[in-house]
Amino acid sequence: MTSSNKAAAHHAPDVKMYFIIFGALLVLTAATVLVSYLELPKMLGITIGLMIATVKASLVAAFFMHLKGERTLIYGFLGLTVFFMAVLFLLPITDAVETEKNRQPMAVGSVLPQAAGEAHHEEAATPAAHEAPAETKKPAKSKKPAGAKKSAH
Amino acid sequence: MNGNYGWGLPIQASTFAKEIDLGIYAIHGIMFAIFILWSVFFVYLLVRYRARPGVPSEHWETGTLQSMIPDLIVLGIEICLILFYALPAWSRIKMTVPPEGKSNVVEIVAEQFAWTVHYPGADAKFGRSNAALVDAQNPAGLDAADDAGKDDVVTVNELHIPLGKPTVVYLSSKDVIHSLFIPEFRVKQDAMPGMKIPVWFEPTLTGKFEIGCAQLCGIAHSIMRADVFVHTPEEYEKWLAAQHPQTQPY
Amino acid sequence: MTHHDSHHGHGPDDFISKYVFSVDHKVIGLQYLITSLLFLLFGFILIMVLRWQLAYPDQPIPFIGNLILGSTGGVVTPELYNQLGAMHGTIMIFLGVVPLGVAAFGNYVLPLQIGAPDMAFPRLNMMSYWIYLPGGLLMLSSFIMPGGAAQSGWTSYPPLSIINPGQTVWLLAMVLIITSSLLGSINFLVTTLNMRAEGMSLMRMPIFVWAQFVTAVLLLLAFPPLEAASILQLMDRVAGTSFYLPAGLVVNGEALKVSGGGQPLLWQHLFWFLAHPEVYVLILPAMGICAEIIANNTRKPLFGYKELVGSMMFIGGMSFVVWAHHMFLSGMSASLGNFFLVTTMIISVPSVAVLTCLVYSLKGGSIRFTTAMLFALAFLPMFGIGGLTGLPLGITVTDIYLHDTYYVIGHFHYVVVTGSIIALMAGVYHWFPKWFGRKMSEGLGKLHFWTTIVCMNGIFFPMFITGLAGQQRRLYDPTAQLHNLTTQPLNVVSSVFAWLLFLAQLPFIWNFFRSIWHGEKVGDNPWEATTLEWACPSPPPHGNFEKPPKVYRGPYEYNVGKKAAWVPQHVAEVKA
Amino acid sequence: MSATATQALGPSKTTTGIPNGKLGVWLFLTSEVMLFATLFTSYIVLRMSAPSWPRGWEELNVPLAALNTVILITSSVTVVLAYAAACERDKAKFNAYLWITILLACAFLVVKSFEYGHKFTHHHFPSTSIFFAVYFTTTGLHGLHVILGIAYFAWLSYWAKDNWDHELFVGRVEYGGLYWHFVDIVWIFLFPALYLL
């Protein structure tokens, strides 16, 4: 037997549990896809989608990565990482939210990347503030950025 | 007023300059005091406890709290600085912008190595601008179709402001990050492309002051300077009228 | 422990695997030492050229001017000026001080101090050096690339860093250096946690090991965000994406053909998310080294071992929530400025705590003024100035005036140069006998100390005055702006002292290389130190200890109530 | 392979009781968590500050991505079964599960290349819009990690042939599994974030 039998005996892999988790993960994946077809309001859709993803991730972490019976030192490092990750998420996002009022399409006109020549003169590239830009008479040759084509939120 | 720069802080030519200088002097006073005290104690320790034959070292230990007294003093000073100085002054200077009705509003667009200043003119409304129309005669790209732009005035590397009322500058940049820095007014704000950031100051002295760029913006970052002319209100009106309204060559 | 003996005698024998591709932490430590000292020297030469342009704008450099800048007749062009500035910052931090403090001293001394035969993953250790070296050479080669080296500061703020030439090679080299540091930090953490000698509990570890431990955690968790941000910037430069380019940029006349939608502030957040823990990565090893040297040369245990450890861990934890005090004026929201004001003030307290404990450690000692001790003692007031001048920069209101001026440059050089670098020099003088079995000459050492301290202060103290007068940083020609004219003589003073500082390093370089072969031969423990690295022969053989040491007491047991003046950690109970 | 320190000490005789390799892999995973957290933060910040942002399914092919998710989850299961087989010293089952994992990982890459190919033919490049820039960079970096996983498993199956009784063999299978589960977790978050929200 290998000298790391302590590792083997430590978490006797019970295969049956793995298949149960496998089933659960498939069901949750299907659930995520279905939820997206329900055309829920944006924020609700986001929270549900992320909650399902978190459940799936914790299933994989707890059973497949044997985090359930792990030592506290590993929990310590993971806890530290989660704290720093939360900081990395929250602060830049608060900044993005709070400086929203200062953010504006360029005062000196936002020039969309098109063929330089003819598109310039006839299209008054008024800064597309928040509504879809007015359709120009003749669509510019290259495809407009996807963002501008479809309706906003 | 240019030219009377010395080695210390430049003269205070705006309302909150005094407030900022108060903070700088106070903090430097505290720093010198702390440094002098520590140095005296440090030199005393070096002399008193230098290695002398036959005199063994003796270990001494104190409770955690007693050992943290210097830190608590520094923390106390810092808390006072934050509560009584930093928070109120910061909210006055950076977080509140004076109402545009009673202040002189200007748009400054920074670009690689020049400041384009755009005044709304008498109707206090900015004409629409469009990058496609930017050229030598029309640095701000004013759109002729928009009548609000008829009386707008555009100057490059010159900012003319009246005394007596606050000036609100809407700062943005065409290409890279610049930073509007007026030493005498103690004003500094990065001009971020894609953002229009309000900066305000109220001059207290008339005369000519200097604008510098405080954020590395390319090879000519050091020669990207401009001048601020603070006029008395009458002088300012005369200057504004003298500027022929920005005509748009068809 | 039969494994151990066979392992001990078996070390690699042929030259390549003994000195070049070696997996022995001592050889890798020395490789890092020599490489990072050379990078420090190169970075220093860059700034000496730049300082000529600051002192005498637009005048050709005499004597060597045509030699190094033939094309422009010896005059430093603005592009070259920006390259020198950006590369000086990058080389000194990422290729000089961090590898010296963390990788050189950490690799060599840490395993010895915890009684381990080697690092946990020796091959990974070798790999981290052999990723660091190509990264460094790639960074250096960017000078001769078309378009030259990076020109938008060591912080490479977009959109300037995306428009300017030279940044792509900088980003690739940064990804290599970051990967090397990541592998190194994993190695350090696992070694410190898993391979301590018997009886070496966490609270019996020397302060140097604690400092390296906290530093490794910072490296591990703070570097990946910069790696991701660098990949995004690399995509912006190479694949035409616009993560950091807002819509409608007009660069000298015509519109930039990018899809827009990017945020320059995003890079600043991600960059400073790394760069602030990075500056604590610069200072923590220095604090660890000074603690070791002060404990050894005052012949008494350190004052407040628990406070020191607590402060270092508190610094490590807090260093992740303070980064945006670099961005008070960058268009970030003002209310976030208040949040980072408070966290910055909180993090200044543990730094004061570390200084307090180190100064209190002098009380009651019998201080030996060896060269290493002189440097370690000089660290205290110098780092004190560095820390104190951080106060007006941390307070949001005074930062309005002082941000991006020479005051900032004075502040961080007082922390890094008269803080970290002189502490690292102290470490070289202190552990040289362990590395080579010979001592560096004390006479040359003291000469090097006094000249270095005087010159360093001569360079950086005038910067506070020019900063208060309002001279912005990174100015190619300060005299172009009227408000900088009166302080121009101070730029000349700083430049002259910078060149003198180069001369002051010559005795150190000579002393270092001469002493390897001709230094005064010394035994295993010339400083009569109690920590474990002095328990093995110097230079330690492959596998370090004949038999793994046992630890019976704390790291600094200098005459604590016992008759013997000092009792090393590994010695069993002293017979009555 | 020269006798290095890891062999001398062996996994279970370390001070903290956690084998060196396991602690090392977990630390590596924490740094990877920070790497992908940065990409998610950038995605959120860019999305919140953009005037308009297309919904995931308008631009991207959701069924293909769902298939990819199922592939990755299955490969996650087969890797843990391979680890179970290694613990029970069942060589045949171990090799079988390991090779299934490698094949599934390759299938993931093949499906991914179809998706990318489809995008490129429609002139959707990273430079087209910020949405595609985020999409290509994030899924590209994740794909790179899948390739690294495949390389590790390929080396493991080659090394397992004559090191079946090596002291660290079971550990190395577990560490490969841990890394692979992490890559799967990243995709579990990536899939809804990019495709479904």
Side-chain angles (χ1 to χ4, degrees), chain A residues 99 102-104 106-109 120, chain B residues 129-132 173 194-196 198:
Chain A
T99 52
N102 288 343
R103 196 168 295 107
Q104 38 79 43
M106 294 303 285
V108 190
H120 254 263
Chain B
S129 55
N130 163 8
S173 161
M195 286 172 90
K196 194 189 274 189

Side-chain angles (χ1 to χ4, degrees), chain C residues 1 3-4 6-7 10 23 117-123 182-183 185-186 189-190 192-197 200 220-222 224-229 231-232 235 239-244 258-263 266 270 273 320 542, chain D residues 1-9 11 13-25 27-28 30-32 34-36 38-39 41-43 45-46 49-51 53 126-130 132-137 141 167 172:
Chain C
M1 278 297 290
H3 289 285
H4 204 73
S6 68
H7 157 78
H10 166 64
V23 286
D118 202 318
M119 279 289 188
F121 311 111
R123 282 193 300 276
L182 266 183
L183 302 178
S185 69
I186 292 171
L189 286 173
V190 175
T192 311
L193 288 171
N194 264 359
M195 300 179 69
R196 281 170 278 140
M200 167 81 79
L220 181 74
L221 296 178
L226 180 65
E227 188 150 21
I231 289 167
L232 296 186
M235 290 283 285
T241 58
S242 59
F243 289 107
Y244 302 125
V258 275
S259 60
Q263 291 302 322
L266 178 61
L270 297 181
F273 184 86
F320 279 86
H542 190 73
Chain D
M1 204 166 54
S2 75
T4 56
T6 34
Q7 272 69 30
L9 268 183
K13 282 181 286 302
T14 58
T15 323
T16 57
I18 304 170
N20 282 349
K22 170 172 271 194
L23 188 56
V25 163
L27 292 175
F28 175 66
T30 56
S31 76
E32 290 291 274
M34 292 303 283
L35 185 81
F36 282 102
T38 316
L39 290 176
T41 306
S42 312
Y43 168 56
V45 166
L46 290 171
S49 39
W53 195 272
S127 54
T128 313
S129 82
I130 189 70
F132 282 107
V134 167
Y135 164 72
F136 277 112
T137 312
L141 207 59
E167 190 176 46
R172 288 196 174 153

Side-chain angles (χ1 to χ4, degrees), chain C residues 53-222:
Chain C
Q53 166 61 23
L54 274 179
Y56 308 104
D58 300 335
Q59 282 151 28
I61 304 172
F63 320 125
I64 53 168
N66 300 353
L67 193 68
I68 50 172
L69 300 170
S71 58
T72 62
V75 176
V76 177
T77 61
E79 292 83 2
L80 179 64
Y81 177 88
N82 284 344
Q83 286 175 29
L84 294 174
M87 293 310 281
H88 169 72
T90 310
I91 288 173
M92 293 304 250
I93 290 176
F94 291 108
L95 295 172
V97 177
V98 168
L100 186 59
V102 175
F105 283 109
N107 259 321
Y108 202 111
V109 173
L110 184 110
L112 297 178
Q113 283 199 332
I114 55 171
D118 202 318
M119 279 289 188
F121 311 111
R123 282 193 300 276
L124 191 71
N125 203 15
M126 177 182 82
M127 199 167 104
S128 92
Y129 176 74
W130 287 100
I131 293 177
Y132 157 73
L133 192 61
L137 296 179
L138 185 64
M139 188 69 87
L140 292 194
S141 69
S142 60
F143 273 102
I144 48 176
M145 296 274 186
Q151 296 176 17
S152 36
W154 78 282
T155 49
S156 83
Y157 277 4
L160 178 67
S161 62
I162 294 165
I163 296 166
N164 260 351
Q167 208 66 34
T168 310
V169 173
W170 184 87
L171 289 164
L172 291 172
M174 281 302 291
V175 170
L176 281 179
I177 295 163
I178 288 169
T179 316
S180 148
S181 288
L182 266 183
L183 302 178
S185 69
I186 292 171
N187 221 334
F188 276 47
L189 286 173
V190 175
T191 310
T192 311
L193 288 171
N194 264 359
M195 300 179 69
R196 281 170 278 140
E198 206 186 321
M200 167 81 79
S201 69
L202 283 180
M203 293 316 274
R204 278 183 176 173
M205 291 200 307
I207 293 289
F208 178 76
V209 176
W210 270 110
Q212 293 290 347
F213 179 74
V214 174
T215 311
V217 172
L218 293 187
L219 283 175
L220 181 74
L221 296 178

